[in-house]
Amino acid sequence: MTDFQVSLSTDAAAQQWGDKAPLSMHENGAVIHIGDASDVSATIGQAARTIDTLNIKRVALTGNWDFEQQWAFAMSYTRARDAGQITWADNDDKSRLEQHYQAMRFTRKLVNDTPEDLSPENLATRAADWIKDLGGDKVSVDMIVGEDLQKAGWTGIYNVGRGSERPPVMLEVDYNPTGNPDAQVDAVLVGKGITFDSGGYSIKSSEGMLDMKCDMGGAATVTGALGLGIMQGLQKRVKLLLCCAENLISGHAYKLGDVLTYKNGETVEIVNTDAEGRLVLADGLIRAEETGAPLIIDAATLTGAAMVAMGKDYHAVFSMDDDARDKMLASAKAENERFWPLPLEPFHKSRCPSSFASTANSTSQKGGGAGGASNAAGFLSRFVNPQGKGWVHLDLAAAYHGSASAQMPVGATAKGIRSIARMLADF
């Protein structure tokens, strides 16, 4: 089968293709016209979606393409199911593109897989196996499963996941290229791994539950980022912590009014079982702080409030450490990914008050009320050092599209893996 050839041109399309048409066809393929485009990546993405909707299964990028142009095509052309194949343009970017594409495809597949196929243990195992495949003997793995979580004191993951027949898991992957078991841990990545979120007894509507297989998008994103970093030659010791559970209803599920006691002494009243992501991340952040790492990044599809604020174009960035926040934003800018800061102040710790515990896990208002994304970040700040030094929280509003758009296919995006990988290298 001959590949469908796609090239770029700064010339306008012939008039028969329409006024300022971004795409024209010829006998062997298509030309994307970027000459008048105010956003070249968006124009390429829209053209790639058009080509994919024609069910063209093999494309070859020909002529002059730079890295970002090829990446924009790949992000938009690569659909969730039965994706086509891409042959990269003949330039020096091929190896780098293959590394990025492998990480993107891995991340997207994890998120797009059905919740039946992706149990908490399956998520943890697949993430660990992929990192081990990339890092070899530089990687060690530890998994705490089911009732052992309660015995170890990881109360958030245990309680959120105990309503399911499939047990919750805390995964710890240690990538240590130094070969020294006593080496400083340079960074910790913490990912929310809720493989399906029914909302628990604070049950979601059917419509609200439909896309909740994506609620482990944070776990997939930080795994994809670490894998990309390893492929790029990362020489820092990094730990990956995935907090994996299914949030389901049963006679053994956690309930509204329960009070959880965490390892750091914080007590949390459950006022909304659908605010479960922050409960599992709290365990991950406590463990991350135990390592003494100067950089902790957590990532989660945490709040609808972040999506209201950011749409599906940006990931929200929170930090009480100005330097860490600025470096995260600089990493995103360097990688042409859209991140944007939202406010987090010490007073946000107290925005979920409780009469029965040191804090509640949310408020009684739907979605956490006004400032819900910042309030969730404030809750998490209770589980890192008091100043939040070196901690960055990412609320991944752009991780998943429930329906296709003119520029992006339906499903997971893998946006963020590039920025986090760069942050690991540069921090």
Side-chain angles (χ1 to χ4, degrees), residues 346-399:
F347 66 78
H348 284 111
K349 290 182 180 181
S350 303
R351 286 294 173 88
C352 299
S354 169
S355 299
F356 301 96
S358 54
T359 184
N361 71 322
S362 186
T363 65
S364 57
Q365 294 97 330
K366 182 176 176 58
S374 292
N375 296 343
F379 174 91
L380 293 177
S381 71
R382 291 174 174 268
F383 301 92
V384 295
N385 62 83
Q387 293 75 39
K389 184 69 175 175
W391 169 58
V392 177
H393 164 55
L394 303 177
D395 200 330
L396 303 180

Short mmCIF file of all heavy atoms in Angstrom, two decimals, residues 346-399:
data_model
loop_
_atom_site.label_atom_id
_atom_site.label_comp_id
_atom_site.label_asym_id
_atom_site.label_seq_id
_atom_site.Cartn_x
_atom_site.Cartn_y
_atom_site.Cartn_z
N PRO A 346 -2.02 30.07 51.56
CA PRO A 346 -2.17 29.29 52.80
C PRO A 346 -3.61 29.22 53.30
O PRO A 346 -4.02 28.20 53.87
CB PRO A 346 -1.25 30.03 53.77
CG PRO A 346 -0.18 30.61 52.90
CD PRO A 346 -0.88 31.01 51.64
N PHE A 347 -4.40 30.27 53.06
CA PHE A 347 -5.77 30.25 53.58
C PHE A 347 -6.65 29.21 52.89
O PHE A 347 -7.70 28.82 53.42
CB PHE A 347 -6.43 31.64 53.50
CG PHE A 347 -6.66 32.16 52.10
CD1 PHE A 347 -7.72 31.70 51.33
CD2 PHE A 347 -5.82 33.13 51.56
CE1 PHE A 347 -7.94 32.20 50.05
CE2 PHE A 347 -6.03 33.64 50.29
CZ PHE A 347 -7.10 33.17 49.52
N HIS A 348 -6.23 28.74 51.71
CA HIS A 348 -7.02 27.71 51.02
C HIS A 348 -7.05 26.39 51.80
O HIS A 348 -7.93 25.56 51.57
CB HIS A 348 -6.49 27.48 49.60
CG HIS A 348 -6.87 28.56 48.64
ND1 HIS A 348 -5.96 29.45 48.11
CD2 HIS A 348 -8.07 28.90 48.11
CE1 HIS A 348 -6.58 30.29 47.29
NE2 HIS A 348 -7.87 29.98 47.28
N LYS A 349 -6.10 26.20 52.70
CA LYS A 349 -6.11 24.99 53.54
C LYS A 349 -7.38 24.89 54.37
O LYS A 349 -7.80 23.78 54.75
CB LYS A 349 -4.91 24.99 54.50
CG LYS A 349 -3.57 24.78 53.85
CD LYS A 349 -2.48 24.74 54.92
CE LYS A 349 -1.10 24.52 54.31
NZ LYS A 349 -0.04 24.45 55.33
N SER A 350 -7.96 26.04 54.68
CA SER A 350 -9.08 26.07 55.62
C SER A 350 -10.42 26.26 54.92
O SER A 350 -11.44 26.53 55.59
CB SER A 350 -8.88 27.21 56.63
OG SER A 350 -7.65 27.05 57.31
N ARG A 351 -10.47 26.08 53.63
CA ARG A 351 -11.70 26.32 52.88
C ARG A 351 -12.66 25.13 52.88
O ARG A 351 -13.72 25.19 52.25
CB ARG A 351 -11.35 26.73 51.45
CG ARG A 351 -10.81 28.16 51.34
CD ARG A 351 -11.91 29.17 51.70
NE ARG A 351 -11.45 30.54 51.77
CZ ARG A 351 -11.42 31.37 50.73
NH1 ARG A 351 -11.76 30.94 49.53
NH2 ARG A 351 -11.03 32.61 50.88
N CYS A 352 -12.27 24.02 53.52
CA CYS A 352 -13.15 22.86 53.66
C CYS A 352 -13.28 22.53 55.15
O CYS A 352 -12.78 21.50 55.63
CB CYS A 352 -12.61 21.66 52.89
SG CYS A 352 -12.45 21.92 51.12
N PRO A 353 -13.95 23.38 55.92
CA PRO A 353 -13.98 23.21 57.38
C PRO A 353 -14.84 22.02 57.80
O PRO A 353 -15.76 21.60 57.10
CB PRO A 353 -14.58 24.52 57.88
CG PRO A 353 -15.41 25.01 56.72
CD PRO A 353 -14.68 24.59 55.49
N SER A 354 -14.53 21.48 58.99
CA SER A 354 -15.27 20.37 59.56
C SER A 354 -15.39 20.57 61.06
O SER A 354 -14.44 21.03 61.72
CB SER A 354 -14.57 19.04 59.27
OG SER A 354 -15.14 17.98 60.03
N SER A 355 -16.54 20.17 61.62
CA SER A 355 -16.72 20.18 63.07
C SER A 355 -16.24 18.89 63.73
O SER A 355 -16.17 18.81 64.95
CB SER A 355 -18.20 20.41 63.41
OG SER A 355 -18.65 21.64 62.91
N PHE A 356 -15.91 17.90 62.91
CA PHE A 356 -15.57 16.58 63.43
C PHE A 356 -14.14 16.14 63.12
O PHE A 356 -13.72 15.07 63.57
CB PHE A 356 -16.55 15.54 62.85
CG PHE A 356 -17.98 15.82 63.17
CD1 PHE A 356 -18.78 16.50 62.27
CD2 PHE A 356 -18.52 15.45 64.39
CE1 PHE A 356 -20.12 16.77 62.57
CE2 PHE A 356 -19.85 15.72 64.70
CZ PHE A 356 -20.65 16.38 63.79
N ALA A 357 -13.41 16.94 62.36
CA ALA A 357 -12.05 16.57 61.96
C ALA A 357 -11.28 17.85 61.68
O ALA A 357 -11.84 18.96 61.70
CB ALA A 357 -12.09 15.66 60.73
N SER A 358 -9.98 17.71 61.40
CA SER A 358 -9.18 18.90 61.13
C SER A 358 -9.57 19.55 59.80
O SER A 358 -9.35 20.73 59.60
CB SER A 358 -7.69 18.56 61.14
OG SER A 358 -7.40 17.49 60.27
N THR A 359 -10.19 18.79 58.92
CA THR A 359 -10.71 19.33 57.67
C THR A 359 -11.75 18.36 57.12
O THR A 359 -11.76 17.18 57.49
CB THR A 359 -9.58 19.55 56.63
OG1 THR A 359 -10.11 20.16 55.45
CG2 THR A 359 -8.93 18.23 56.24
N ALA A 360 -12.61 18.87 56.25
CA ALA A 360 -13.44 17.99 55.43
C ALA A 360 -12.73 17.77 54.10
O ALA A 360 -11.75 18.47 53.77
CB ALA A 360 -14.82 18.60 55.21
N ASN A 361 -13.22 16.79 53.32
CA ASN A 361 -12.57 16.56 52.03
C ASN A 361 -13.14 17.45 50.93
O ASN A 361 -12.62 17.48 49.82
CB ASN A 361 -12.64 15.09 51.61
CG ASN A 361 -14.04 14.64 51.22
OD1 ASN A 361 -15.03 15.04 51.82
ND2 ASN A 361 -14.12 13.78 50.20
N SER A 362 -14.20 18.20 51.22
CA SER A 362 -14.77 19.13 50.26
C SER A 362 -15.73 20.03 51.02
O SER A 362 -15.64 20.15 52.25
CB SER A 362 -15.48 18.38 49.12
OG SER A 362 -15.91 19.26 48.10
N THR A 363 -16.65 20.64 50.30
CA THR A 363 -17.72 21.41 50.92
C THR A 363 -19.05 20.80 50.49
O THR A 363 -19.09 19.95 49.60
CB THR A 363 -17.66 22.89 50.51
OG1 THR A 363 -17.90 22.98 49.10
CG2 THR A 363 -16.30 23.49 50.84
N SER A 364 -20.11 21.27 51.08
CA SER A 364 -21.43 20.70 50.76
C SER A 364 -21.96 21.19 49.42
O SER A 364 -22.89 20.61 48.87
CB SER A 364 -22.43 21.06 51.87
OG SER A 364 -22.50 22.47 52.04
N GLN A 365 -21.35 22.24 48.86
CA GLN A 365 -21.82 22.76 47.58
C GLN A 365 -21.38 21.85 46.43
O GLN A 365 -20.30 21.26 46.47
CB GLN A 365 -21.29 24.17 47.31
CG GLN A 365 -21.82 25.22 48.27
CD GLN A 365 -20.85 25.49 49.40
OE1 GLN A 365 -20.09 24.59 49.80
NE2 GLN A 365 -20.87 26.70 49.91
N LYS A 366 -22.21 21.76 45.41
CA LYS A 366 -21.88 20.96 44.24
C LYS A 366 -20.58 21.45 43.62
O LYS A 366 -20.37 22.64 43.41
CB LYS A 366 -23.01 21.04 43.20
CG LYS A 366 -22.77 20.19 41.96
CD LYS A 366 -23.95 20.25 41.03
CE LYS A 366 -23.69 19.49 39.74
NZ LYS A 366 -23.37 18.08 39.95
N GLY A 367 -19.67 20.50 43.33
CA GLY A 367 -18.40 20.85 42.71
C GLY A 367 -17.42 21.53 43.64
O GLY A 367 -16.39 22.04 43.19
N GLY A 368 -17.73 21.54 44.93
CA GLY A 368 -16.81 22.16 45.88
C GLY A 368 -17.03 23.63 46.07
O GLY A 368 -16.29 24.28 46.82
N GLY A 369 -18.03 24.20 45.41
CA GLY A 369 -18.34 25.62 45.59
C GLY A 369 -17.38 26.53 44.84
O GLY A 369 -16.56 26.09 44.03
N ALA A 370 -17.49 27.82 45.11
CA ALA A 370 -16.63 28.81 44.46
C ALA A 370 -15.17 28.53 44.77
O ALA A 370 -14.82 28.21 45.90
CB ALA A 370 -17.02 30.21 44.93
N GLY A 371 -14.33 28.64 43.74
CA GLY A 371 -12.90 28.38 43.94
C GLY A 371 -12.59 26.93 44.22
O GLY A 371 -11.61 26.61 44.91
N GLY A 372 -13.41 26.01 43.69
CA GLY A 372 -13.27 24.60 44.03
C GLY A 372 -11.92 24.01 43.70
O GLY A 372 -11.41 23.16 44.45
N ALA A 373 -11.30 24.43 42.60
CA ALA A 373 -9.99 23.87 42.24
C ALA A 373 -8.92 24.33 43.21
O ALA A 373 -8.04 23.55 43.61
CB ALA A 373 -9.63 24.29 40.81
N SER A 374 -8.98 25.60 43.62
CA SER A 374 -8.01 26.11 44.60
C SER A 374 -8.25 25.48 45.98
O SER A 374 -7.29 25.19 46.71
CB SER A 374 -8.11 27.63 44.70
OG SER A 374 -7.66 28.25 43.51
N ASN A 375 -9.51 25.26 46.32
CA ASN A 375 -9.80 24.63 47.60
C ASN A 375 -9.27 23.19 47.65
O ASN A 375 -8.78 22.74 48.69
CB ASN A 375 -11.30 24.64 47.87
CG ASN A 375 -11.85 26.05 48.01
OD1 ASN A 375 -11.10 27.00 48.23
ND2 ASN A 375 -13.16 26.20 47.87
N ALA A 376 -9.39 22.49 46.53
CA ALA A 376 -8.85 21.13 46.46
C ALA A 376 -7.34 21.15 46.61
O ALA A 376 -6.75 20.31 47.30
CB ALA A 376 -9.25 20.46 45.15
N ALA A 377 -6.69 22.11 45.94
CA ALA A 377 -5.24 22.25 46.08
C ALA A 377 -4.88 22.60 47.52
O ALA A 377 -3.87 22.12 48.06
CB ALA A 377 -4.73 23.32 45.12
N GLY A 378 -5.69 23.43 48.16
CA GLY A 378 -5.44 23.77 49.56
C GLY A 378 -5.54 22.55 50.46
O GLY A 378 -4.74 22.39 51.40
N PHE A 379 -6.51 21.67 50.19
CA PHE A 379 -6.60 20.41 50.93
C PHE A 379 -5.30 19.63 50.78
O PHE A 379 -4.73 19.14 51.77
CB PHE A 379 -7.79 19.60 50.42
CG PHE A 379 -7.90 18.22 51.02
CD1 PHE A 379 -8.64 18.01 52.16
CD2 PHE A 379 -7.25 17.14 50.43
CE1 PHE A 379 -8.74 16.74 52.73
CE2 PHE A 379 -7.34 15.87 50.98
CZ PHE A 379 -8.08 15.67 52.14
N LEU A 380 -4.81 19.50 49.55
CA LEU A 380 -3.58 18.73 49.31
C LEU A 380 -2.38 19.34 50.00
O LEU A 380 -1.45 18.62 50.41
CB LEU A 380 -3.32 18.62 47.81
CG LEU A 380 -4.32 17.80 47.00
CD1 LEU A 380 -3.96 17.86 45.51
CD2 LEU A 380 -4.36 16.34 47.48
N SER A 381 -2.38 20.66 50.15
CA SER A 381 -1.22 21.32 50.77
C SER A 381 -1.03 20.92 52.23
O SER A 381 0.04 21.13 52.79
CB SER A 381 -1.36 22.85 50.66
OG SER A 381 -2.37 23.34 51.52
N ARG A 382 -2.04 20.33 52.84
CA ARG A 382 -1.90 19.82 54.21
C ARG A 382 -0.96 18.61 54.29
O ARG A 382 -0.54 18.24 55.39
CB ARG A 382 -3.27 19.41 54.75
CG ARG A 382 -4.23 20.55 55.00
CD ARG A 382 -5.62 20.05 55.39
NE ARG A 382 -6.51 21.14 55.78
CZ ARG A 382 -6.68 21.58 57.02
NH1 ARG A 382 -6.03 21.00 58.02
NH2 ARG A 382 -7.51 22.57 57.28
N PHE A 383 -0.65 18.01 53.16
CA PHE A 383 0.08 16.75 53.15
C PHE A 383 1.50 16.89 52.59
O PHE A 383 2.18 15.89 52.36
CB PHE A 383 -0.72 15.70 52.38
CG PHE A 383 -2.08 15.48 52.98
CD1 PHE A 383 -3.18 16.20 52.54
CD2 PHE A 383 -2.24 14.60 54.05
CE1 PHE A 383 -4.43 16.03 53.13
CE2 PHE A 383 -3.49 14.41 54.64
CZ PHE A 383 -4.58 15.13 54.17
N VAL A 384 1.92 18.14 52.39
CA VAL A 384 3.32 18.41 52.03
C VAL A 384 3.90 19.30 53.13
O VAL A 384 3.23 19.60 54.13
CB VAL A 384 3.43 19.08 50.64
CG1 VAL A 384 2.96 18.13 49.56
CG2 VAL A 384 2.64 20.39 50.58
N ASN A 385 5.14 19.73 52.97
CA ASN A 385 5.76 20.58 53.99
C ASN A 385 4.97 21.90 54.11
O ASN A 385 4.33 22.34 53.16
CB ASN A 385 7.23 20.83 53.64
CG ASN A 385 7.40 21.57 52.32
OD1 ASN A 385 7.31 22.80 52.26
ND2 ASN A 385 7.65 20.82 51.24
N PRO A 386 4.99 22.52 55.29
CA PRO A 386 4.10 23.66 55.55
C PRO A 386 4.25 24.82 54.56
O PRO A 386 3.27 25.53 54.30
CB PRO A 386 4.51 24.10 56.96
CG PRO A 386 5.03 22.85 57.61
CD PRO A 386 5.72 22.10 56.51
N GLN A 387 5.44 25.01 54.02
CA GLN A 387 5.63 26.09 53.05
C GLN A 387 5.34 25.65 51.61
O GLN A 387 5.36 26.47 50.69
CB GLN A 387 7.07 26.63 53.12
CG GLN A 387 7.40 27.34 54.42
CD GLN A 387 7.61 26.37 55.58
OE1 GLN A 387 8.19 25.29 55.40
NE2 GLN A 387 7.15 26.73 56.76
N GLY A 388 5.10 24.36 51.42
CA GLY A 388 4.89 23.85 50.06
C GLY A 388 6.12 23.94 49.19
O GLY A 388 6.03 23.97 47.96
N LYS A 389 7.30 23.95 49.81
CA LYS A 389 8.55 24.10 49.06
C LYS A 389 8.74 22.92 48.11
O LYS A 389 8.69 21.76 48.50
CB LYS A 389 9.73 24.17 50.04
CG LYS A 389 11.08 24.42 49.39
CD LYS A 389 11.18 25.81 48.84
CE LYS A 389 12.59 26.09 48.31
NZ LYS A 389 12.67 27.41 47.66
N GLY A 390 8.96 23.25 46.84
CA GLY A 390 9.26 22.23 45.84
C GLY A 390 8.07 21.42 45.36
O GLY A 390 8.24 20.47 44.59
N TRP A 391 6.85 21.80 45.76
CA TRP A 391 5.66 21.03 45.39
C TRP A 391 4.85 21.76 44.33
O TRP A 391 4.58 22.95 44.45
CB TRP A 391 4.79 20.79 46.62
CG TRP A 391 3.42 20.25 46.31
CD1 TRP A 391 3.10 19.11 45.65
CD2 TRP A 391 2.16 20.87 46.66
NE1 TRP A 391 1.73 18.96 45.57
CE2 TRP A 391 1.14 20.03 46.19
CE3 TRP A 391 1.81 22.03 47.35
CZ2 TRP A 391 -0.22 20.32 46.36
CZ3 TRP A 391 0.47 22.33 47.53
CH2 TRP A 391 -0.52 21.47 47.04
N VAL A 392 4.48 21.03 43.28
CA VAL A 392 3.63 21.55 42.21
C VAL A 392 2.46 20.60 42.04
O VAL A 392 2.64 19.38 41.90
CB VAL A 392 4.40 21.66 40.88
CG1 VAL A 392 3.47 22.14 39.76
CG2 VAL A 392 5.59 22.60 41.02
N HIS A 393 1.26 21.15 42.02
CA HIS A 393 0.03 20.37 41.80
C HIS A 393 -0.55 20.73 40.43
O HIS A 393 -0.74 21.92 40.13
CB HIS A 393 -0.99 20.68 42.90
CG HIS A 393 -2.39 20.26 42.59
ND1 HIS A 393 -2.72 18.97 42.24
CD2 HIS A 393 -3.55 20.97 42.57
CE1 HIS A 393 -4.03 18.89 42.03
NE2 HIS A 393 -4.55 20.10 42.22
N LEU A 394 -0.80 19.71 39.62
CA LEU A 394 -1.37 19.91 38.28
C LEU A 394 -2.77 19.33 38.23
O LEU A 394 -2.98 18.13 38.48
CB LEU A 394 -0.50 19.21 37.23
CG LEU A 394 0.97 19.62 37.17
CD1 LEU A 394 1.72 18.80 36.12
CD2 LEU A 394 1.11 21.12 36.89
N ASP A 395 -3.75 20.17 37.94
CA ASP A 395 -5.13 19.73 37.74
C ASP A 395 -5.34 19.65 36.22
O ASP A 395 -5.40 20.68 35.53
CB ASP A 395 -6.09 20.74 38.39
CG ASP A 395 -7.47 20.14 38.65
OD1 ASP A 395 -7.88 19.25 37.89
OD2 ASP A 395 -8.14 20.58 39.61
N LEU A 396 -5.45 18.43 35.71
CA LEU A 396 -5.31 18.17 34.27
C LEU A 396 -6.63 18.36 33.52
O LEU A 396 -7.28 17.40 33.08
CB LEU A 396 -4.78 16.76 34.06
CG LEU A 396 -3.44 16.42 34.74
CD1 LEU A 396 -3.05 14.98 34.45
CD2 LEU A 396 -2.34 17.38 34.29
N ALA A 397 -6.99 19.61 33.33
CA ALA A 397 -8.26 19.91 32.65
C ALA A 397 -8.24 19.50 31.18
O ALA A 397 -9.29 19.27 30.58
CB ALA A 397 -8.56 21.40 32.77
N ALA A 398 -7.05 19.42 30.58
CA ALA A 398 -6.94 19.13 29.14
C ALA A 398 -6.54 17.68 28.85
O ALA A 398 -6.09 17.36 27.77
CB ALA A 398 -5.92 20.08 28.50
N ALA A 399 -6.75 16.79 29.82
CA ALA A 399 -6.26 15.41 29.66
C ALA A 399 -7.14 14.54 28.80
O ALA A 399 -6.68 13.53 28.26
CB ALA A 399 -6.10 14.75 31.04
#
